[in-house]
Amino acid sequence: ESRFVQAQWTPMEGERGYIIVFHDNTILRRQEQIRRDFVANVSHELRTPISILQANAETLLNGALNDKAYGVQLVNAIERHAIRLSQIISKLLDLARLESNELIFKNEPLNISSIVNSVQEHITPLAQEKNITCWSMIKPEVVCMGDREAVEEVLSNLVSNAVKYIPAGEQISITCSELQGFNRIEVSDTGAGIDASHHSRVFERFYRVDKGRSRDMGGTGLGLSIVKQMVRKMGGDVGVESVNPHGCRFWFTLPKKMEGQRVTRPATGHP
Ligand code: ADP
């Protein structure tokens, strides 16, 4: 973006000519904008439930307590918004810990199919409520390097998002494909999908495709940004793409275990 480019002209004494130095501030400015948006989003996301808690408590104190049915309705809303507030705070803390490098990730060989099985077991009751089938096709010998708990959390986030956002009766599949040096684990669904214009932004903090829908489903808009941070800490990457005829595929990569690789090195950074 040319408006972010500053030019500095330095005439050289005794020389015929100039050195022209261009500083491209685009990335710095973008980072600053992301930081400012984040602060604004955090205060908005925290203020909304807090003002509902305040308003409902005030209404109760001002007489609504005498109307039992109405009182119960207000107290239920207080409980819902208090839960939401604590979910947002705990996810923000997770993000802060991830960003401050406070969390140490193991770098051990992981059998992906056993992790997939345990995520499937956890998700089955929720999926059954919506008559959603979640199947997987991962060779038992696929081994990646990473931290078991973190990979479980990443996969569980992607699968539970799919259960949350696809209509009843649709399907989820978990597959794995091999790349050079990496395995790519994919969670595909047959839901409405995500328009390509949102693909580059869904991993941003607080970004939701449909804000109202996400909130109604108890979403915080932080899940995918946590997923991205975790995967990057383990040396992999994340992405999303559309699936034909409808649906989306979230994927993440993890380094393969190489022959003779020592497993004591902690995972750091992105390759
Ligand atoms: P949330 O807490 O809102 O679920 P996430 O960061 O986990 O936040 O996801 C960001 C947004 O991406 C969601 O609000 C939703 O709009 C969209 N999304 C995630 N997974 C899917 C999916 N499988 N199908 C359709 N939309 C999805």
Side-chain angles (χ1 to χ4, degrees), residues 161-162 164-165 189 194 207-209 214 219-221 223-224 248 250:
N161 265 354
K164 220 159 58 169
Y165 292 110
D189 66 56
I194 297 177
Y207 192 84
R208 290 108 155 184
V209 178
S214 154
T220 59
L224 289 178
C248 56
F250 279 88

Side-chain angles (χ1 to χ4, degrees), residues 91 157-158 161-166 187 189 191-194 202-204 206-211 213-215 218-226 247-248 250:
K91 295 227 158 147
N157 236 303
L158 299 180
N161 265 354
V163 172
K164 220 159 58 169
Y165 292 110
I166 67 177
V187 178
D189 66 56
I194 297 177
V202 283
F203 291 94
E204 284 177 21
F206 292 119
Y207 192 84
R208 290 108 155 184
V209 178
D210 180 341
K211 262 195 173 171
R213 192 152 171 245
S214 154
R215 282 218 187 91
T220 59
L222 293 170
L224 289 178
S225 55
I226 293 176
C248 56
F250 279 88

